[in-house]
């Protein structure tokens, strides 16, 4: 398998690089590297699935399946080779061929050994060094940071992708939605303050072209599937006739004739994908939708950028810098918006959300934590982690003079979207508590800060 190219590797978690680099430095073979990455994935799942959905048996099955996480292992090894931290070597071409590489070991380069030693003893320093390596290896990584405002030559502090709510009737046509979407994006671009702009004809052509091609591919796949099902039915009919018995053959699940190849939900997602591609290309850093998803995840983990679909204002995907990195390679300077002053500012921003017209706190209102987090983080251009740390600090009494009290509750008011997470705080007993809604009360209120 080739290890060339500078595209964004398909790594959902940057910590896979750490796991693989340490395993390679320790002389472990491919199979042990695979298990190290799988262990890291299980650890992350265990730490984030607070709703009781974590399934140890599922991870046991993955661990005993030699084809599980092979793609992840190959991708991370390719990245280590691209970064110059592992000597180039042939890798499995598919999960089915992984068995032939199970005992293969890889040679870490001097720089790879140095990074493994650094991240082992100084994790923050190790990941700061990783930023420099990624900047050198991936122009799109540097471009993403520049567009969201995290580089010295950034010209704006955010990139905004206009989206459109699914407010129309479920039976309305895809064409009507697409027409409205194109008009919406065009108006938003004309109004400015997106971090990018494009002429109306370019917007129309780009959005319609992407969505139309995707729908045509889906229709072709659906037509192919229907033809295969028809041939299967005819084949089984002949078999039953030849057998001369009333044995009912199983053909498998069939597609419904009236079922569209692209659902309403999928069509709206295609429009979002088209808008993301248009936005980044118009801002000077073309990339596909999956690369953008990975980069926004990486940069959030690295404390350099954040994103949200739910910040106040017109519906949009907003991406913004939460820090700044100057330089490249091994000569970097980081400035992240973190610490006590940032957390104090986050807490002081909360009353504006609950204030009534006369300036008093609305003691009756509870809101989903993820909505409040999005509003505060967008307003202050900070990370989700800093918001959560601010609430945790208030809960622990580190800011006694706020003038209000933060109330948290574990009740689920609204189902949280997939791109957000609940607020998880460690109780004094050592157990974690998961909170979904919050409110503010005046300092005179005698209710407890936390409700059961």
């Amino acid at each position: 398998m080739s290890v060339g190219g500078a595209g964004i590797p398909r790594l959902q978690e940057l910590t896979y690089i750490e796991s693989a680099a340490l395993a390679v430095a320790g002389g472990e073979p491919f199979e042990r590297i695979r298990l190290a990455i799988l262990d890291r994935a299980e650890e992350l799942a265990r730490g984030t699935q607070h709703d009781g959905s974590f399934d140890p048996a599922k991870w046991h099955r993955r661990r005993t399946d030699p084809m599980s996480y092979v793609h992840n292992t190959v991708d991370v090894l390719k990245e280590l080779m691209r970064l110059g931290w592992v000597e180039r070597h042939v890798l499995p071409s598919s999960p089915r061929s992984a068995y032939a590489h199970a005992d293969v070991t890889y040679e870490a380069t001097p720089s790879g050994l140095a990074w493994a030693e650094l991240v082992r003893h100084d994790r923050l320093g190790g990941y700061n060094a990783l930023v420099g390596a990624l900047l050198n290896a991936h122009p799109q990584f540097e471009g993403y940071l520049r567009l969201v405002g995290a580089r010295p030559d950034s010209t704006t502090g955010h990139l905004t992708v206009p989206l459109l709510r699914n407010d129309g009737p479920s039976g309305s046509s895809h064409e009507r939605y697409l027409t409205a979407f194109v008009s919406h994006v065009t108006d938003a671009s004309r109004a400015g303050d997106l971090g990018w702009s494009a002429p109306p004809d370019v917007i129309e052509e780009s959005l319609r072209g992407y969505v139309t091609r995707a729908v045509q591919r889906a229709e072709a796949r659906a037509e192919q599937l229907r033809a295969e099902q028809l041939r299967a039915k005819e084949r089984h009919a002949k078999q039953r006739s030849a057998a001369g018995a009333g044995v009912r053959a199983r053909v498998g699940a069939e597609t419904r004739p009236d079922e569209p190849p692209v659902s309403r939900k999928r069509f709206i997602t295609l429009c979002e994908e088209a808008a993301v591609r248009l936005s980044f290309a118009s801002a000077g850093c073309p990339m596909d939708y999956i690369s953008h998803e990975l980069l926004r995840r990486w940069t959030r983990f690295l404390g350099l950028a954040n994103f949200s679909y739910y910040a106040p204002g017109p519906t949009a995907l907003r991406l913004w810098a939460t820090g700044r990195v100057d330089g490249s390679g091994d000569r970097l300077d980081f400035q992240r918006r973190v610490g006590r002053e940032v957390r104090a500012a986050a807490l002081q921003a909360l009353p504006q959300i609950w204030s009534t017209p006369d300036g008093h706190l609305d003691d009756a209102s509870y809101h989903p934590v993820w909505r409040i987090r999005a509003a505060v983080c967008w307003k202050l251009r900070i990370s989700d982690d800093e918001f959560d740390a601010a609430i945790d600090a208030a809960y622990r009494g580190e800011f006694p003079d706020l003038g209000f009290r933060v109330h948290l509750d574990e009740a689920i008011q609204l189902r949280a979207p997939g791109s957000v997470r609940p607020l998880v705080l460690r109780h004094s007993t050592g157990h974690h508590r998961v909170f979904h809604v919050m409110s503010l009360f005046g300092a005179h209120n005698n209710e407890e800060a936390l409700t059961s």
Side-chain angles (χ1 to χ4, degrees), residues 303-362:
L304 297 174
N306 199 1
F307 71 92
S308 179
Y309 288 91
Y310 307 103
T315 305
L317 166 61
R318 295 176 173 85
L319 310 111
W320 65 91
T322 59
R324 173 173 160 149
V325 54
D326 295 347
S328 62
D330 58 357
R331 304 177 70 87
L332 296 176
D333 179 53
F334 291 87
Q335 298 175 7
R336 295 181 174 92
R337 288 191 280 277
V338 298
R340 183 176 176 83
E341 291 185 4
V342 170
R343 296 167 190 176
L347 293 171
Q348 292 298 338
L350 290 176
Q352 300 176 26
I353 298 172
W354 275 273
S355 292
T356 59
D358 59 4
H360 292 88
L361 289 176
D362 178 7

Side-chain angles (χ1 to χ4, degrees), residues 127-437:
Y127 279 97
N128 282 345
L130 177 60
V131 171
L134 293 173
L135 285 171
N136 286 347
H138 301 294
Q140 286 180 323
F141 180 76
E142 197 282 334
Y144 183 96
L145 290 174
R146 174 170 45 80
L147 295 186
V148 301
R151 292 291 281 165
D153 57 343
S154 296
T155 57
T156 181
H158 70 97
L159 184 78
T160 297
V161 181
L163 301 175
L164 190 62
R165 294 186 187 277
N166 183 22
D167 292 332
S170 59
S172 60
S173 68
H174 289 345
E175 174 59 31
R176 185 177 302 175
Y177 180 89
L178 179 57
T179 298
F181 185 73
V182 170
S183 177
H184 174 71
V185 174
T186 302
D187 290 344
S189 175
R190 189 178 292 118
D193 195 33
L194 298 178
W196 64 274
S197 63
D201 59 330
V202 172
I203 294 175
E204 173 98 18
E205 180 181 359
S206 178
L207 297 181
R208 284 192 176 276
Y210 182 92
V211 174
T212 300
R213 289 190 297 272
V215 170
Q216 289 173 344
R217 289 194 297 270
E219 291 174 342
R221 287 194 298 269
E223 183 62 32
Q224 180 182 8
L225 179 59
R226 283 192 290 268
E228 291 174 354
Q229 290 174 342
L230 179 60
R231 289 193 294 270
K233 290 179 66 175
E234 292 173 347
R235 184 169 60 253
H236 287 295
K238 292 180 180 179
Q239 291 173 351
R240 291 197 304 272
S241 176
V247 179
R248 185 175 182 178
R250 298 180 61 185
V251 181
E254 296 187 31
T255 57
R256 292 172 47 188
D258 59 340
E259 184 178 350
V262 177
S263 67
R264 174 80 168 186
K265 181 178 180 181
R266 176 56 183 157
F267 190 83
I268 293 173
T269 300
L270 288 175
C271 289
E272 178 186 336
E273 292 177 7
V276 166
R277 289 172 64 98
L278 167 67
S279 301
F280 277 91
S282 299
C285 183
M287 71 176 66
D288 62 89
Y289 185 80
I290 295 178
S291 292
H292 127 270
E293 280 193 311
L294 292 168
L295 286 170
R296 76 189 191 188
R297 188 182 184 101
W298 292 4
T299 53
R300 173 186 274 181
F301 170 77
L302 293 167
L304 297 174
N306 199 1
F307 71 92
S308 179
Y309 288 91
Y310 307 103
T315 305
L317 166 61
R318 295 176 173 85
L319 310 111
W320 65 91
T322 59
R324 173 173 160 149
V325 54
D326 295 347
S328 62
D330 58 357
R331 304 177 70 87
L332 296 176
D333 179 53
F334 291 87
Q335 298 175 7
R336 295 181 174 92
R337 288 191 280 277
V338 298
R340 183 176 176 83
E341 291 185 4
V342 170
R343 296 167 190 176
L347 293 171
Q348 292 298 338
L350 290 176
Q352 300 176 26
I353 298 172
W354 275 273
S355 292
T356 59
D358 59 4
H360 292 88
L361 289 176
D362 178 7
D363 287 357
S365 295
Y366 276 82
H367 299 287
V369 171
W370 52 270
R371 284 199 178 278
I372 305 306
R373 183 194 286 131
V376 172
C377 290
W378 169 246
K379 176 181 176 64
L380 301 181
R381 302 295 197 270
I382 62 174
S383 69
D384 288 5
D385 287 342
E386 282 304 292
F387 174 87
D388 290 1
I391 300 299
D392 185 48
Y395 163 55
R396 297 178 183 281
E398 296 178 15
F399 293 92
D401 301 321
L402 289 175
F404 60 85
R405 295 170 59 121
V406 177
H407 290 248
L408 305 171
D409 200 290
E410 294 164 300
I412 299 178
Q413 188 181 61
L414 292 175
R415 182 179 179 182
S419 64
V420 302
R421 63 189 185 191
L423 174 66
V424 182
L425 302 182
R426 182 181 291 274
H427 194 264
S428 57
T429 60
H431 298 293
H432 287 96
R433 296 185 66 181
V434 181
F435 299 101
H436 298 281
V437 296

